Amino acid sequence: MIIMSKKDKSEAEKLRDELFLSRKNGCLVLEEEEIKKADEFCEPYKKFLNKAKTEREVVEYAIKAAKKEGFTEFDVEKKYKAGDRIYYNNRNKAVIFAVVGKDKTKNGVRIAAAHIDSPRLDLKPFPLYEKNDLALFKTHYYGGIKKYQWPAMPLALHGKVVRKDGSTVNVTLGEDAGDPCFCVTDLLPHLAGEQMSKTMVKGFTGEDLNVLIGSRPFRDDKESDLVKLNIMRLIHEKYNIVEADFLSAELNLVPAFPARDIGFDRSMIGAYGHDDRVCAYTAFEAILHCKSPERTVLTVLGDKEEVGSDGNTGLNSEFMRYFIADLAIQDKEEPRHVLSKSTCLSADVNAAFDPTYASVYEPGNSCYINNGVVITKYTGHGGKYDTSDACAEYMAEIRELLDSNKVLWQSGELGKVDGGGGGTVAKFIANLNIDVVDLGVPVLSMHAPFEIVSKIDVYMAYRAFYEFFMQK
Ligand code: MN
Ligand code: MN
């Protein structure tokens, strides 16, 4: 980073520079070349956002891209040497990429762990029904959403259906301009007097999140449920599935619009699901470009973070620990010793200060758009409940790492004390006796169908993960 103004400074200014930590807007302190690199880095990121909107799609995208860069599927029987590039696919919903280091696992591994699930509407096990000549899907929302944000906008259907015989069908409908899409209806303001007088939590409920999928009946006037029948007939024609197959399916409704540049200056990107695909993408790009690290490095893309990380594809399960143990055993190291020497960046987003909602933030301890990657020492709620509070020693290491590599960073807490709270996968990884701290990208409108990040911050996240992997 170069400070642009080089005018003679007063004693107070010099002292201030020496003693105070000041926030730095990347647009003012980075070289123009670096800002250009950030803009360029974000072009393929937008394509990724449009291509991979669910955890399954991210796993598919990432494995395909990694294979081109020499990654092969992990085989516990094989012996790996420094420089080898491997991946472990957990049920097509979570994945670990690793590059074997010169020291193997002797001194611990370095982990960047992001999540690839985002808030959305999942279809219920038996979703299809007809009411008053309209066909609809019942949904069960996934993750922390403000329900009123989801009606009256185009939704696309993504997911996978597994038939009884094990055969599968992948569904992506609503993304291409020529595709039909779907929608939750909203109430017209003329008749919404009662709805509008309710609190925002009660104005639109989970059971109101019904998705409109058709209106034309099967042309036969003797039966009931003719619209449902006609829609099921069309679904059967297109995907060769019957109603019972919905039970063995994972179908998700996500916003149908693509990622877009935001602002006259195109400095930001608006898109569905930056949280946490922005850290997943940057941590993944970092390991793709990581050639011969000292230690073995891992990019872990987990599932289920938005619902608490439980389940066998979430980071509260053992899959990452088992993978590291398998590597340690190969190197004739004791797995628990490898874990205790390992370090991790929990790669997740934080809430960027929003002047429209300034009252929920503490300005001195918030993160800001364009101020670089944000280090979050602890998340949680109340008196630091439900979190991993990174230790001072590890914080110092990370500061030194970022400063010495000229990565623009800032520190941020999630809102005011007792203002609410949240968590990440950091605490589950810390529970394995690994040093971990949250590091990621500031986001405006987090968990809304259209979230916003700054291009400079996205690039700085990539640089942070890369330098973390490459450190001596
Ligand atoms: Mn997240
Ligand atoms: Mn989240």
Side-chain angles (χ1 to χ4, degrees):
M1 273 163 278
I2 305 294
I3 305 291
M4 282 170 172
S5 70
K6 284 179 180 156
K7 66 181 169 66
D8 289 333
K9 290 181 173 173
S10 71
E11 283 306 306
E13 278 174 307
K14 282 182 204 158
L15 202 55
R16 197 177 284 124
D17 284 353
E18 190 189 337
L19 300 182
F20 283 179
L21 169 69
S22 59
R23 252 186 340 103
K24 298 185 188 77
N25 188 312
C27 305
L28 299 176
V29 297
L30 295 175
E31 306 228 32
E32 247 170 74
E33 192 57 30
E34 192 81 336
I35 295 172
K36 205 172 141 224
K37 274 189 199 162
D39 291 346
E40 283 166 5
F41 181 85
C42 286
E43 289 305 308
Y45 172 53
K46 285 184 280 182
K47 292 204 174 84
F48 161 79
L49 287 168
N50 297 339
K51 205 173 164 54
K53 290 191 174 181
T54 65
E55 62 278 2
R56 285 183 184 275
E57 290 168 353
V58 174
V59 168
E60 195 186 332
Y61 167 97
I63 288 177
K64 203 173 152 200
K67 278 180 171 171
K68 282 188 197 154
E69 295 293 325
F71 284 77
T72 58
E73 185 153 24
F74 177 64
D75 177 352
V76 75
E77 304 293 333
K78 267 192 194 158
K79 286 272 172 273
Y80 292 99
K81 57 181 191 312
D84 281 349
R85 300 152 83 74
I86 48 182
Y87 70 88
Y88 169 74
N89 177 355
N90 181 6
R91 296 171 171 83
N92 302 314
K93 295 170 71 166
V95 60
I96 300 173
F97 297 96
V99 179
V100 178
K102 290 173 196 153
D103 297 344
K104 303 285 199 75
T105 54
K106 192 173 68 184
N107 300 315
V109 300
R110 292 200 169 104
I111 305 161
H115 68 92
I116 49 177
D117 58 319
S118 297
R120 63 184 181 227
L121 307 181
D122 287 349
L123 293 200
K124 287 194 182 188
F126 283 96
L128 178 59
Y129 72 106
E130 172 179 340
K131 196 90 196 263
N132 306 109
D133 294 342
L134 296 174
L136 301 114
F137 275 150
K138 290 300 289 183
T139 67
H140 198 135
Y141 68 97
Y142 174 94
I145 64 165
K146 290 161 92 176
K147 297 177 191 94
Y148 73 84
Q149 291 176 336
W150 287 75
M153 69 163 174
L155 298 171
L157 187 66
H158 290 238
K160 184 177 196 173
V161 185
V162 185
R163 302 184 194 91
K164 261 202 304 191
D165 65 2
S167 61
T168 64
V169 52
N170 287 321
V171 176
T172 314
L173 190 61
E175 293 292 347
D176 293 335
D179 282 355
C181 61
F182 310 96
C183 181
V184 176
T185 55
D186 201 355
L187 188 54
L188 64 167
H190 317 62
L191 298 178
E194 193 193 329
Q195 182 196 40
M196 305 268 269
S197 69
K198 293 178 182 172
T199 60
M200 282 166 95
V201 170
K202 289 185 176 156
F204 204 94
T205 69
E207 290 295 348
D208 295 333
L209 290 166
N210 304 318
V211 178
L212 189 59
I213 57 165
S215 66
R216 288 188 179 170
F218 189 72
R219 283 159 69 93
D220 178 334
D221 60 6
K222 293 186 194 95
E223 301 286 331
S224 61
D225 272 355
L226 291 175
V227 184
K228 174 178 169 178
L229 182 64
N230 192 37
I231 295 303
M232 194 63 233
R233 179 183 68 85
L234 291 169
I235 293 171
H236 180 255
E237 257 175 29
K238 192 169 172 63
Y239 298 113
N240 190 24
I241 58 172
V242 296
E243 191 180 15
D245 291 324
F246 282 119
L247 189 59
S248 49
E250 285 169 19
L251 292 165
N252 325 117
L253 286 146
V254 298
F257 40 70
R260 301 283 298 271
D261 282 348
I262 298 277
F264 289 108
D265 56 6
R266 294 181 175 265
S267 59
M268 298 165 282
I269 305 167
Y272 163 70
H274 281 305
D275 176 11
D276 184 32
R277 288 182 297 154
V278 67
C279 297
Y281 181 80
T282 47
F284 176 63
E285 286 292 305
I287 203 162
L288 280 190
H289 298 149
C290 176
K291 293 297 181 209
S292 37
E294 292 291 311
R295 296 196 193 166
T296 294
V297 299
L298 272 63
T299 288
V300 180
L301 305 182
D303 179 29
K304 294 282 177 278
E305 194 279 340
E306 295 296 357
V307 293
S309 294
D310 291 320
N312 54 17
T313 54
L315 262 300
N316 195 17
S317 84
E318 305 283 350
F319 78 92
M320 186 186 84
R321 187 168 74 87
Y322 290 164
F323 178 77
I324 295 170
D326 282 339
L327 294 181
I329 291 163
Q330 287 217 338
D331 303 341
K332 301 195 166 49
E333 301 288 340
E334 173 59 53
R336 67 178 192 275
H337 296 158
V338 171
L339 287 169
S340 62
K341 284 181 275 189
S342 295
T343 53
C344 174
L345 294 177
S346 165
D348 208 341
V349 299
N350 198 338
F353 188 92
D354 187 335
T356 303
Y357 305 101
S359 68
V360 304
Y361 298 90
E362 193 265 279
N365 281 283
S366 292
C367 60
Y368 293 79
I369 287 285
N370 282 334
N371 281 232
V373 73
V374 53
I375 308 173
T376 307
K377 190 171 182 292
Y378 49 85
T379 58
H381 59 95
K384 297 194 179 181
Y385 287 90
D386 288 326
T387 186
S388 157
D389 193 344
C391 69
E393 290 84 348
Y394 188 51
M395 292 297 284
E397 265 181 58
I398 297 301
R399 273 177 58 200
E400 168 56 23
L401 169 76
L402 299 177
D403 281 342
S404 60
N405 290 291
K406 298 188 165 63
V407 178
L408 184 69
W409 64 271
Q410 55 184 323
S411 160
E413 255 197 89
L414 183 66
K416 273 184 176 170
V417 174
D418 288 338
T424 65
V425 299
K427 63 176 178 175
F428 305 112
I429 294 170
N431 287 347
L432 301 173
N433 197 21
I434 292 173
D435 270 315
V436 53
V437 67
D438 280 297
L439 183 144
V441 176
V443 176
L444 289 168
S445 297
M446 194 198 292
H447 280 213
F450 196 65
E451 302 177 314
I452 293 158
V453 297
S454 126
K455 291 180 179 177
I456 286 175
D457 301 339
V458 175
Y459 182 59
M460 287 299 150
Y462 160 75
R463 290 211 48 227
F465 299 131
Y466 180 78
E467 298 301 345
F468 174 69
F469 286 156
M470 293 306 286
Q471 65 184 305
K472 298 287 168 200

